[in-house]
Amino acid sequence: MNWDDMRVFLAVARAESLSAAGPLVKMDPATVSRRIARLEEAVGSPLFVKSPQGYALTDAGARMRDHAVQAEAALSLAMDEGQEADQGLSGQIRIGAPDGCANFLLPKVCADIQRDNPGLEVQVLALPRVVNLSKREADMAITVSPPDAGRLTVQRVTDYRLHLAMRSDMDAPDGMDGLKGLPVVGYIPDMIFDKELDYLGDLGGDGVQLASNSVAVQMQMLRHGGVGFVHDFALPFAPELRRILMDEVSLKRSFYLVRHSSDRTSDRLNRFAKALLTGLKLEVARLEALAA
């Protein structure tokens, strides 16, 4: 038995399928299958129940997973000890984030951090749902609500603002009544995964006529007409849009940095998190100033 087999085992346990686990360990599904079979032979017990729906852990597999996660964390800490603080960050770090943050904030922030740490590989995972840190989908996550369950540590990053926006070449309404008759752009109602993203709930109206679970797609829809909420920090990327009714409607939300509690002693991740927090605060402030 070797750690590389255990790494493959954890990938399958988290992804719950061979095809989804393959990219995580940079192997094709057939190779992943052989590695799992070899590990099961070594331990003398089946670790997964295979079905058309995927790979589910057996009781033995679940027990092994718990120990393997602890070993993975210990190995990560051991690697951290080998990196001197003045040598810069290296290795791979993955961040999960909602669409707006992933599209308009993290690209520059992560590029700045990576430029200062050439040995570092930063991955941004943009998902229309909460990133599962317990399954190690990412090393840390940006959220719009602080989680209330799980072995997690949470830091508030910064506040950000949203306003109604529409195309600059359209006549702006004089008041809220002027919005009637305009198509509303927003999230698909049954795919809003966090209450803080339900921007239109307080406006009432006749629902959403142009909807997407992606902020980037919503902004493309606004470019073709209609009205909807836009992050102030995203407006510099869409100069053809302008804010409207700012005195009547203004929303404030917050970003939070969420990490697994077992990583709190990792100097490497702590240093990256500090740089990420600083970068996000500065980037939100810079872009909101440009929007103004």
Side-chain angles (χ1 to χ4, degrees), residues 148-163:
D148 55 8
R151 297 174 57 249
L152 304 168
T153 60
V154 182
Q155 293 174 272
R156 194 177 72 83
V157 180
T158 188
D159 294 332
Y160 62 94
R161 288 163 178 77
L162 305 98
H163 290 91

Side-chain angles (χ1 to χ4, degrees), residues 166 170-183 227 244-245:
M166 64 189 308
M170 296 175 63
D171 293 331
D174 294 329
M176 297 299 293
D177 289 341
L179 298 177
K180 294 179 180 178
L182 291 174
V227 61
I244 61 171
L245 303 177

Side-chain angles (χ1 to χ4, degrees), residues 157-202:
V157 180
T158 188
D159 294 332
Y160 62 94
R161 288 163 178 77
L162 305 98
H163 290 91
L164 287 170
M166 64 189 308
R167 268 180 19 199
S168 299
D169 61 355
M170 296 175 63
D171 293 331
D174 294 329
M176 297 299 293
D177 289 341
L179 298 177
K180 294 179 180 178
L182 291 174
V184 175
V185 176
Y187 282 103
I188 299 172
D190 62 355
M191 296 188 72
I192 297 176
F193 63 90
D194 191 299
K195 61 181 177 57
E196 295 297 330
L197 300 179
D198 187 13
Y199 307 135
L200 298 171
D202 295 334

Side-chain angles (χ1 to χ4, degrees), residues 3 68-85 89-90 92-93 136 139 151 259-271:
W3 172 250
V69 167
Q70 295 178 29
E72 181 183 51
L75 181 60
S76 178
L77 289 175
M79 295 295 291
D80 289 348
E81 292 295 330
Q83 290 188 20
E84 296 293 338
L89 298 168
S90 64
Q92 181 187 99
I93 295 178
R136 292 290 176 175
D139 297 292
R151 297 174 57 249
R259 297 171 57 191
H260 202 281
S261 59
S262 63
D263 293 335
R264 64 184 181 275
T265 57
S266 170
D267 179 66
R268 173 172 166 271
L269 291 179
N270 288 340
R271 287 158 55 200

